[in-house]
Amino acid sequence: MDLPYLKIKGRSLLPVIQGGMGIGVSAHSLAGAVAAEGAVGTIASVELRRLHEDLMRHLRRLRDPAASAQANLTALDREIQEARRIAGKEGFIAVNVMHAISGYREHVLQAIRSGVNAVIVGAGLPMDLPTLAAEFPNVALIPILSEARGVQVVVRRWMRQKRLPDAIVIENPQFAGGHLGATRLEDVADSRYGFANVLPAIRKLFEELGLKADQIPLVAAGGISSFQKMREIFSLGGSGAQLGTPFAVTTEGDAHINFKRVLADAMPKDLVTFMSSAGLPARAVLTPWLRRYLGRERRLRACASPDHSQCPSQTECLVHCGFKDGHSSSGQFCIEAQLAAAQRGDVEHGLFFRGAGQLPFRTTDQKRSGAFCHAAG
């Protein structure tokens, strides 16, 4: 099927952004492979130190948040350089930075200095991103948002900083994986987040702001698993799609084979939505650890107190962590430890983020554990 190109910073790209997936699920191997095929390959910046044994060996002796933060920046630079080696000079490589992490500003600047083509920011409103990247006009800046109201707030603020987003990822929390673009669990399935509502509303907003309809590409994220769904996105005024789970299970994906099997084998009944310790709704596969946690979540929340809070991993990775800060409205677990366990294939103890949609191009006669495809294939 012929699809129009996604235009970012004067580049004509395949209309696909590979979603950023931490911890270490989308690192240099996956991002480099996707970028080499002409789409946007994305490294998730969070906690990349765990992919580098020499860094981890040094940190085990220290248990120091500042040292962990510096190790993450070193790892991020390494991953970008390796992705560039795979993708080549013309490959379009992005880094996804969570606005909610403690080292947000440092990760953005490290990604830019290490030579990425774009910075993608989710898990919060990146109001200051244009100012932060002011000295780097050639780097594309792409926020992840979920509805026209959030787009209006961000675009108006950015316009005052003399810069527009180079694209906007529009995430539908009903279908996306990982941290979702709604603030409350009861809002995740709200129809106001549907692409049929959001994309036309944003185009209307652009007109009100005096922007051309196609001046800022809109990239839909969540539940897009077929060419037919891609066609629907284009018919609504979208310019492309962001895919996470379909890329996570590929041969090129940076996670353990057990991680890929868990995601590939998961059926709709196996997926649950719950509150993350980052204070956001999240979607994951109901694996043994998550089943146990949800069984005692109410009791853990009732016991949460700021008077007894501490960071068990001593990394201070999030600005807001319900577990560390003792906030009962958020999840009561160390998200860094559970995601890292999943990435290294620990099915018993890991937290396995996954989107709600089915994997693309999967036929009914394929074996469930054999549904892997090559990145951007």
Side-chain angles (χ1 to χ4, degrees), residues 245-253 255-266 354 359-363 366-377:
T245 301
F247 281 118
V249 302
T250 61
T251 301
E252 294 84 353
H256 192 279
I257 186 65
N258 290 350
F259 179 96
K260 300 173 186 181
R261 288 194 175 114
V262 168
L263 268 61
D265 287 353
R354 189 198 192 280
L359 296 179
F361 316 116
R362 181 176 174 179
T363 59
Q366 283 179 302
K367 293 182 179 179
R368 290 176 64 191
S369 61
F372 308 152
C373 58
H374 287 288

Side-chain angles (χ1 to χ4, degrees), residues 212-267:
K212 297 178 181 178
D214 60 351
Q215 193 164 348
I216 302 175
L218 301 179
V219 179
I224 301 170
S225 57
S226 68
F227 284 129
Q228 177 56 40
K229 290 184 179 180
M230 289 284 286
R231 291 190 192 98
E232 293 172 6
I233 295 303
F234 284 108
S235 71
L236 293 169
S239 301
Q242 176 174 280
L243 309 177
T245 301
F247 281 118
V249 302
T250 61
T251 301
E252 294 84 353
D254 292 88
H256 192 279
I257 186 65
N258 290 350
F259 179 96
K260 300 173 186 181
R261 288 194 175 114
V262 168
L263 268 61
D265 287 353
M267 297 289 104

Side-chain angles (χ1 to χ4, degrees), residues 8 11 13 16-18 26-44 76-96 111-112 114-120 138-142:
I8 300 178
R11 297 283 299 277
L13 306 163
V16 172
I17 294 178
Q18 166 247 310
S26 64
H28 75 267
S29 178
L30 179 55
V34 174
E37 295 292 335
V40 179
T42 308
I43 296 169
L76 176 57
D77 178 67
R78 290 180 183 180
E79 294 295 324
I80 292 169
Q81 303 314 320
E82 280 299 301
R84 178 63 66 197
R85 182 185 62 78
I86 296 169
K89 182 179 178 181
E90 296 302 316
F92 198 96
I93 295 171
V95 164
N96 179 294
I112 293 172
S114 296
V116 297
N117 300 97
V119 173
I120 301 174
N138 295 325
V139 176
L141 305 181
I142 304 174

Side-chain angles (χ1 to χ4, degrees), residues 262-263 265-274 282-295 297 347-355:
V262 168
L263 268 61
D265 287 353
M267 297 289 104
K269 64 180 178 62
D270 302 321
L271 305 180
V272 294
T273 305
F274 60 100
R283 179 170 291 113
V285 182
L286 188 61
T287 46
W289 174 83
L290 185 54
R291 188 184 300 275
R292 292 193 299 272
Y293 166 74
L294 293 177
E297 180 186 38
V347 178
E348 182 68 24
H349 301 100
L351 172 59
F352 294 76
F353 281 164
R354 189 198 192 280

Side-chain angles (χ1 to χ4, degrees), residues 32-322:
V34 174
E37 295 292 335
V40 179
T42 308
I43 296 169
S45 77
V46 61
E47 295 298 314
L48 286 169
R49 64 191 173 90
R50 286 189 172 271
L51 300 184
H52 299 266
E53 179 55 33
D54 63 321
L55 299 178
M56 292 300 294
R57 188 165 52 248
H58 176 68
L59 291 172
R60 289 188 191 104
R61 297 194 298 268
L62 298 177
R63 295 186 65 80
D64 173 32
S68 293
Q70 182 56 52
N72 280 323
L73 297 180
T74 299
L76 176 57
D77 178 67
R78 290 180 183 180
E79 294 295 324
I80 292 169
Q81 303 314 320
E82 280 299 301
R84 178 63 66 197
R85 182 185 62 78
I86 296 169
K89 182 179 178 181
E90 296 302 316
F92 198 96
I93 295 171
V95 164
N96 179 294
V97 182
M98 289 179 59
H99 193 268
I101 63 172
S102 300
Y104 159 69
R105 293 174 60 87
E106 292 79 8
H107 283 221
V108 168
L109 290 173
Q110 182 64 64
I112 293 172
R113 290 166 181 159
S114 296
V116 297
N117 300 97
V119 173
I120 301 174
V121 177
L125 301 180
M127 299 297 198
D128 62 342
L129 187 56
T131 298
L132 191 57
E135 297 180 14
F136 307 94
N138 295 325
V139 176
L141 305 181
I142 304 174
I144 301 176
L145 304 164
S146 291
E147 56 182 328
R149 181 174 57 182
V151 172
Q152 180 178 23
V153 171
V154 169
V155 172
R156 285 187 182 277
R157 180 71 65 88
W158 284 31
M159 290 176 77
R160 290 199 288 270
Q161 298 171 70
K162 310 300 182 185
R163 193 156 180 178
L164 291 173
D166 295 284
I168 301 175
V169 174
I170 305 299
E171 180 191 86
N172 185 340
Q174 185 174 359
F175 299 106
H179 289 111
L180 308 175
T183 56
R184 304 185 304 169
L185 282 174
E186 53 266 36
D187 292 338
V188 165
D190 196 307
S191 62
R192 76 175 187 269
Y193 294 116
F195 296 132
N197 294 324
V198 176
L199 294 178
I202 295 174
R203 293 300 185 194
K204 182 178 179 181
L205 168 65
F206 288 170
E207 182 179 348
E208 294 171 355
L209 293 175
L211 303 174
K212 297 178 181 178
D214 60 351
Q215 193 164 348
I216 302 175
L218 301 179
V219 179
I224 301 170
S225 57
S226 68
F227 284 129
Q228 177 56 40
K229 290 184 179 180
M230 289 284 286
R231 291 190 192 98
E232 293 172 6
I233 295 303
F234 284 108
S235 71
L236 293 169
S239 301
Q242 176 174 280
L243 309 177
T245 301
F247 281 118
V249 302
T250 61
T251 301
E252 294 84 353
D254 292 88
H256 192 279
I257 186 65
N258 290 350
F259 179 96
K260 300 173 186 181
R261 288 194 175 114
V262 168
L263 268 61
D265 287 353
M267 297 289 104
K269 64 180 178 62
D270 302 321
L271 305 180
V272 294
T273 305
F274 60 100
M275 286 303 291
S276 161
S277 51
L280 296 168
R283 179 170 291 113
V285 182
L286 188 61
T287 46
W289 174 83
L290 185 54
R291 188 184 300 275
R292 292 193 299 272
Y293 166 74
L294 293 177
R296 54 199 179 101
E297 180 186 38
R298 182 176 299 179
R299 177 171 59 84
L300 292 172
R301 285 194 177 187
C303 295
S305 169
D307 297 331
H308 306 290
S309 61
Q310 62 177 348
C311 178
S313 65
Q314 297 184 27
T315 60
E316 305 284 346
C317 61
L318 294 173
V319 173
H320 166 92
C321 173

